[in-house]
Amino acid sequence: MIELDPIWLTLKLALNTTLILFIVAVPLAYLLSVKKTVFSLFIEAIVSMPLVLPPTVIGFYLLLAFSPANFFGHWLEETFDIRVVFSYSGLLIASVIYSLPFMVHPVQSGFSSLPPSLREASYSLGKSKWETFLKVLLPNIKPSLLTGIVLTFAHTVGEFGVVLMIGGNIPGKTRTGSIAIYDEVEAFNYHNANVYAGILLALSFSILLVLYAFNRKAGQSKFY
Amino acid sequence: MIDFALQKTLHTAEGELPFNVSARIERGQFVGLYGVSGAGKTSVLRMLAGFMKPDDGYIKVGSDFWFYGEEAFHMPTQHRSIGFVFQDYALFPNMNVEENIAFALRKNESRTIVDELLELTGLKNLAKRKIQTLSGGQQQRVALARAIAKRPALLLLDEPLSALDSGMRAQLQETLLDVHKRYGLTTILVSHNAEEMVKLADTVIHLENGRFQRQMPPASFFLNGEDSSGLKGRVVSIAPNGEVVVQIESGVLRLKSVRQDVRVNDHVDISCDVDMYHLKKS
């Protein structure tokens, strides 16, 4: 009987990564869309790094940073009793960093595509920045939010390099679907590899299908 | 009364433009802000609304300051009693017609004004419609109703009719005048349409290159030969009291104190001096 743990772990990781990124990236994307300072330029560049860097490079630096042999990792372990490397929390941190641009970019371009007059109109009606954000801006970038959510989820499902570097390959703990496939192929268990790969393929395809169907529908009733 | 003096260096496509405009507007007036593109009309509105911060000067509304450069005081838009109608309407696509207007209400405020405005602007049957299903003229009505719903002291209109055809334009001009009077608003309208100014405004402020040129009654301003486009029309009726109704392209003008040497159906050129209109057969 084939172990389905790696698939569950992958889903759990993707879900939590998406949740954390949604909370972190939506305000960040908004700030990047309105603030055009030198500082925000740096932030934009940092956010986009995972797009161009090999995942192993990110994984390597995270491994160094969080290793108990080094200052930060040591401090985390001493102060909070947290060990990030080769643990689920390490996977989660790495995934959040690695998938950051996939959430920030669509949401940021969603905000940027809204005419500034929408925000100004809301202010002129006496509404605070917060109320404007919640009731006017966010509801009008729904397709971008959905794109961000789906891309982040799908991208996390497909992670390999970063996850392997920081999490290793501990069954039930850090062995995700993509690593399990690699592992099974290494051991010439092509049948198992096939099952895992098939599940991930079907999953990713259906997620994207739902996304495009939704955005096509949203696009038809879009305003300008 | 609204009293303002605004100074700012504007960065335009043609380089830096020193902007320096001051004026005094009486309560209840309908003011036209006239000038060619790039003269700084929209900047005046945006500064009054608080979207743009002047470098120096002041904005005084009644006894309150909305901006006071010397003390670096700049009241946020949210606290200014304004209604703003944008050139692109800026309606919220996630809300229907009624929700757009009701968005202007404060918490727990009565919705009577929403129904009243829906009725007044002829939108009652469209109340539940989505914004994106409306025509340009209908959207403009929603934008106007929304801007008035919180009963502002000052209504700012940034070329609200420029995208509409002439029939729709004339209709909306009527609506504008109607709400301006009914709600006792002080209204500032940006436009570069001379006829619109004559029809709507009590007084016109003329801007040129970011500077205040002059302020005068609209008719004398546009009909003095300063604006070569002039006005042509056809006499529709002449009342015993001397009022002449002239049909112009986008509507009708009622002109008082007109010299009586024209007859109904005459085609006329309209001009005027300080207190007298002249109609000349063309």
Side-chain angles (χ1 to χ4, degrees):
Chain A
M1 183 63 193
I2 188 168
E3 283 279 339
L4 282 181
D5 278 0
I7 300 297
W8 293 128
L9 183 69
T10 300
L11 290 179
K12 182 176 144 196
L13 181 67
L15 203 67
N16 285 331
T17 303
T18 309
L19 204 68
I20 292 172
L21 267 183
F22 187 78
I23 296 166
V24 173
V26 171
L28 180 65
Y30 177 65
L31 289 177
L32 289 178
S33 75
V34 290
K35 297 243 188 285
K36 298 288 169 209
T37 60
V38 179
F39 181 68
S40 65
L41 203 66
F42 272 93
I43 300 291
E44 266 187 294
I46 290 171
V47 166
S48 300
M49 288 288 267
L51 289 180
V52 290
L53 276 182
T56 41
V57 173
I58 296 175
F60 175 67
Y61 281 123
L62 287 173
L63 191 60
L64 284 189
F66 289 116
S67 158
N70 289 325
F71 173 76
F72 186 60
H74 183 69
W75 176 78
L76 275 181
E77 196 160 321
E78 287 285 296
T79 323
F80 300 103
D81 197 22
I82 297 173
R83 176 172 280 217
V84 174
V85 287
F86 306 119
S87 72
Y88 176 73
S89 53
L91 285 191
L92 195 57
I93 291 172
S95 300
V96 164
I97 292 172
Y98 188 49
S99 290
L100 194 59
F102 291 86
M103 183 68 90
V104 172
H105 284 172
V107 178
Q108 185 185 346
S109 67
F111 281 127
S112 301
S113 71
L114 291 179
S117 57
L118 280 191
R119 198 171 66 227
E120 291 171 345
S122 174
Y123 292 170
S124 79
L125 298 172
K127 303 302 170 191
S128 67
K129 287 184 174 177
W130 179 237
E131 196 171 353
T132 302
F133 183 74
L134 281 187
K135 294 188 180 164
V136 175
L137 303 181
L138 271 189
N140 285 314
I141 59 157
K142 267 188 211 146
S144 307
L145 290 176
L146 187 76
T147 305
I149 289 171
V150 168
L151 285 184
T152 304
F153 190 90
H155 187 243
T156 310
V157 167
E159 265 177 43
F160 179 74
V162 174
V163 174
L164 187 64
M165 289 296 278
I166 193 125
N169 181 13
I170 307 168
K173 211 170 155 199
T174 62
R175 183 193 283 179
T176 60
S178 57
I179 292 170
I181 294 170
Y182 181 73
D183 214 39
E184 299 292 359
V185 172
E186 286 271 273
F188 295 106
N189 289 330
Y190 275 64
H191 172 259
N192 286 0
N194 237 327
V195 174
Y196 289 138
I199 294 175
L200 289 190
L201 180 76
L203 194 68
S204 305
F205 182 74
S206 17
I207 289 171
L208 290 177
L209 201 64
V210 170
L211 168 72
Y212 287 121
F214 182 87
N215 273 358
R216 179 182 287 184
K217 197 168 155 247
Q220 275 167 355
S221 62
K222 219 168 150 34
F223 47 113
Y224 13 91
Chain B
M1 192 170 66
I2 297 160
D3 197 1
F4 60 85
L6 305 165
Q7 285 117 46
K8 189 176 177 71
T9 305
L10 297 180
H11 303 277
T12 65
E14 285 86 40
E16 289 194 345
L17 173 72
F19 175 90
N20 191 348
V21 175
S22 53
R24 176 176 289 199
I25 295 164
E26 299 298 329
R27 217 178 132 188
Q29 266 194 325
F30 199 122
V31 180
L33 209 53
Y34 179 82
V36 295
S37 293
K41 307 182 295 285
T42 297
S43 298
V44 172
L45 283 202
R46 294 181 61 77
M47 286 182 202
L48 289 175
F51 299 147
M52 190 192 258
K53 198 172 163 185
D55 294 339
D56 205 358
Y58 64 89
I59 301 169
K60 196 176 171 202
V61 179
S63 56
D64 297 331
F65 277 99
W66 283 6
F67 172 74
Y68 193 48
E70 258 173 53
E71 291 181 10
F73 173 71
H74 185 249
M75 187 190 272
T77 301
Q78 284 92 337
H79 297 160
R80 302 185 185 200
S81 179
I82 54 153
F84 202 108
V85 177
F86 294 81
Q87 214 169 349
D88 66 356
Y89 316 134
L91 297 172
F92 308 132
N94 58 318
M95 305 178 197
N96 66 25
V97 170
E98 193 179 11
E99 288 164 346
N100 259 279
I101 302 171
F103 189 71
L105 301 180
R106 282 171 211 91
K107 258 187 199 149
N108 304 324
E109 194 180 337
S110 148
R111 294 176 67 94
T112 333
I113 181 95
V114 178
D115 296 329
E116 190 181 314
L117 284 167
L118 283 170
E119 185 86 50
L120 188 70
T121 49
L123 292 166
K124 210 168 178 201
N125 296 331
L126 305 173
K128 303 289 177 203
R129 283 272 287 274
K130 288 198 152 202
I131 294 305
Q132 45 275 35
T133 65
L134 301 181
S135 71
Q138 290 164 337
Q139 293 198 19
Q140 195 50 273
R141 284 169 189 276
V142 182
L144 181 64
R146 187 181 67 178
I148 295 166
K150 72 166 196 179
R151 308 292 299 269
L154 182 60
L155 178 63
L156 303 166
L157 308 161
D158 187 8
E159 301 204 35
L161 310 178
S162 58
L164 305 175
D165 63 55
S166 62
M168 185 59 74
R169 213 181 164 111
Q171 268 184 32
L172 263 161
Q173 286 168 346
E174 296 297 327
T175 312
L176 259 182
L177 266 186
D178 195 17
V179 296
H180 167 77
K181 285 184 189 139
R182 183 185 291 241
Y183 295 105
L185 302 165
T186 306
T187 302
I188 303 181
L189 168 77
V190 163
S191 174
H192 47 234
N193 182 316
E195 286 171 23
E196 199 158 284
M197 289 291 177
V198 175
K199 237 177 126 178
L200 298 175
D202 300 319
T203 179
V204 172
I205 294 173
H206 182 204
L207 299 184
E208 214 170 271
N209 293 325
R211 288 186 178 277
F212 174 82
Q213 279 305 102
R214 61 211 143 131
Q215 183 167 356
M216 50 215 310
S220 59
F221 175 67
F222 290 112
L223 305 177
N224 248 345
E226 294 286 346
D227 189 70
S228 58
S229 66
L231 272 188
K232 290 178 192 299
R234 183 177 63 86
V235 177
V236 178
S237 72
I238 303 172
N241 65 3
E243 188 181 88
V244 175
V245 178
V246 182
Q247 174 152 32
I248 56 172
E249 193 190 317
S250 59
V252 288
L253 287 179
R254 287 171 204 283
L255 305 176
K256 287 177 191 128
S257 49
V258 178
R259 285 194 188 148
Q260 296 262 352
D261 50 2
V262 290
R263 279 179 298 192
V264 172
N265 271 335
D266 277 354
H267 288 269
V268 289
D269 291 324
I270 310 167
S271 63
C272 84
D273 49 36
V274 175
D275 55 9
M276 175 81 75
Y277 288 96
H278 305 283
L279 300 179
K280 210 173 83 187
K281 281 192 199 177
S282 55

